[in-house]
Amino acid sequence: MPVTGATTRNDYTASAGQAVFSYTFQILLATDIKVIKNGTLLTLNNDYTVSNVGVAGGGNVTLTSGANSGDAIAILLGMPIDRTTEYQNAGDFLASDVNGDFDKAYVALNQVQTDVSRTLHLQDQDPSVDM
């Protein structure tokens, strides 16, 4: 499936009783999402569930109990960046395997791009500066 560049973080201020919050980026596993409520990391399946795993446009995070008015909810991609597959000499070289590996790499790049955009950095026109 194609992977397009996207922000990998969505932030919300909840209304009273709100339980469903959308995420707008692709994930490959439900465990690739981190949900933070008022600064506390929530736990998958205990505190929330995830829909539309693998869908390019994202899906929803559903809290197991509704939020309070004004709760800060952050949904972000927290995918481990690792490679768990290895191609074998003279083994099958299936398009589905290769595409899956490339999808993971590009989703990870989106995550890194979002992380970098949230850091302090020099303007392009600035030479080096001791920060």
Side-chain angles (χ1 to χ4, degrees):
M1 82 185 80
V3 176
T4 59
T7 184
T8 58
R9 181 184 179 109
N10 300 117
D11 291 286
Y12 299 96
T13 301
S15 58
Q18 184 177 358
V20 179
F21 299 88
S22 64
Y23 64 93
T24 58
F25 47 88
Q26 182 177 356
I27 61 171
L28 303 176
L29 300 169
T31 55
D32 290 345
I33 281 190
K34 288 184 181 179
V35 179
I36 301 170
K37 178 179 174 185
N38 297 327
T40 301
L41 183 65
L42 302 182
T43 304
L44 178 65
N45 297 323
N46 288 336
D47 301 315
Y48 67 93
T49 59
V50 177
S51 69
N52 288 357
V53 172
V55 175
N60 292 316
V61 166
T62 303
L63 302 179
T64 54
S65 61
N68 295 317
S69 179
D71 281 348
I73 306 293
I75 302 169
L76 55 141
L77 184 61
M79 182 177 88
I81 298 176
D82 56 10
R83 180 173 179 213
T84 57
T85 59
E86 187 173 317
Y87 303 110
Q88 301 298 317
N89 287 334
D92 291 336
F93 194 69
L94 303 175
S96 60
D97 294 338
V98 175
N99 283 330
D101 286 345
F102 274 101
D103 288 351
K104 183 173 182 179
Y106 280 95
V107 169
L109 285 170
N110 281 339
Q111 176 178 312
V112 170
Q113 183 176 1
T114 297
D115 290 347
V116 168
S117 73
R118 293 176 49 84
T119 64
L120 295 174
H121 55 277
L122 299 173
Q123 297 294 319
D124 289 339
Q125 65 271 21
D126 290 336
S128 62
V129 174
D130 183 5
M131 296 177 72

